[in-house]
Amino acid sequence: MEAQPKLKGTCLSCGGDMVAKCGRVKVWHWSHKGRPPCDPWWESETEWHRNWKNKFPLEWQEIVAFDPATGEKHIADVKTPHGLVVEFQHSPITPAEMQAREAFYGNMIWIVDGTRGPLDASYFNMGTWGPIDRDPIAYGIEWMGRSRLFHNWSEAGAKVYLDFGTDLLFRLISFNQATNKGAVGPIHKKTAVDDCLIGRPISVLTERNTNDD
């Protein structure tokens, strides 16, 4: 259930009391009453985060994952009936936490907000060339943004899809931290979501299916 004014609830992970925070500035959200969140991987939900989650059925959102061997629990942003975990990441994350999440969830992908910094998206557009491959399409990049967006996410073991606020996601194919150069592959957001909904690997964009649009 989404947060609404004056509602109360119970945390699916720890069973603690939850209160609905419904102010005028931040996105309406649930918060643990009088204590920090039980999941150390939790981050404050932004409008970007909420919009992505709502592309998936409500019953697939905020799913508790439990490791019976260790007793460890975490709340996945989205887990499909096909077993895929989709994590939406807005804030920076350390390589150690990134690797811990990937090891815990196993079958997962990242969708990352590439517009956190005011100049990141424009610098990304200025630094692309190509395509350097056409089947699937891949563009060369030279990262000129001020953040360490590409440096940090090049450490990921799971597939990373960067959202720069357009109708496309960009799959991070490779990135050389020494030269700030790499490659990304464009994918239609709707296609990515539709593929996740039916349990199919996310379809890559080729010159052929671009011409078919």
Side-chain angles (χ1 to χ4, degrees):
M1 178 184 297
E2 293 191 0
Q4 297 289 335
K6 299 182 180 181
L7 286 183
K8 296 181 181 180
T10 301
C11 177
L12 295 175
S13 179
C14 69
D17 293 334
M18 304 285 286
V19 293
K21 297 292 185 71
C22 302
R24 295 184 178 181
V25 178
K26 290 186 177 181
V27 174
W28 289 6
H29 64 281
W30 289 100
S31 177
H32 283 74
K33 186 176 181 179
R35 58 175 175 161
C38 61
D39 189 343
W41 295 346
W42 176 89
E43 68 170 338
S44 297
E45 191 164 85
T46 63
E47 191 68 34
W48 173 87
H49 199 122
R50 175 72 58 81
N51 288 341
W52 264 107
K53 282 201 324 185
N54 286 341
K55 296 180 187 298
F56 296 86
L58 186 61
E59 59 269 25
W60 296 9
Q61 302 176 23
E62 302 293 324
I63 301 301
V64 177
F66 175 68
D67 184 343
T70 64
E72 188 176 357
K73 288 182 182 180
H74 293 289
I75 302 174
D77 287 331
V78 164
K79 185 172 184 179
T80 75
H82 317 289
L84 177 68
V85 168
V86 185
E87 285 283 274
F88 306 107
Q89 192 66 29
H90 167 77
S91 60
I93 183 174
T94 66
E97 182 177 325
M98 184 188 304
Q99 292 161 14
R101 290 203 209 180
E102 291 174 349
F104 182 80
Y105 290 127
N107 183 22
M108 70 163 292
I109 62 172
W110 298 96
I111 294 180
V112 177
D113 188 357
T115 63
R116 294 191 311 261
L119 298 178
D120 280 354
S122 59
Y123 270 117
F124 172 73
N125 290 332
M126 288 168 55
T128 58
W129 74 86
I132 58 176
D133 194 359
R134 298 182 182 277
D135 191 9
I137 292 176
Y139 293 99
I141 59 167
E142 181 172 6
W143 182 237
M144 297 179 285
R146 294 178 181 177
S147 78
R148 292 183 60 81
L149 179 72
F150 277 86
H151 292 75
N152 293 342
W153 287 102
S154 66
E155 303 280 350
K159 291 180 180 179
V160 176
Y161 299 90
L162 299 164
D163 178 7
F164 288 100
T166 69
D167 291 336
L168 296 174
L169 290 174
F170 288 88
R171 161 85 193 284
L172 180 55
I173 299 171
S174 65
F175 184 75
N176 186 318
Q177 296 187 16
T179 63
N180 287 342
K181 293 182 179 181
V184 295
I187 298 161
H188 290 297
K189 284 181 179 177
K190 184 178 185 304
T191 298
V193 172
D194 288 347
D195 286 344
C196 289
L197 290 174
I198 65 175
R200 180 174 61 192
I202 293 177
S203 304
V204 296
L205 193 58
T206 68
E207 188 173 56
R208 182 183 64 258
N209 58 33
T210 298
N211 293 334
D212 290 342
D213 287 348

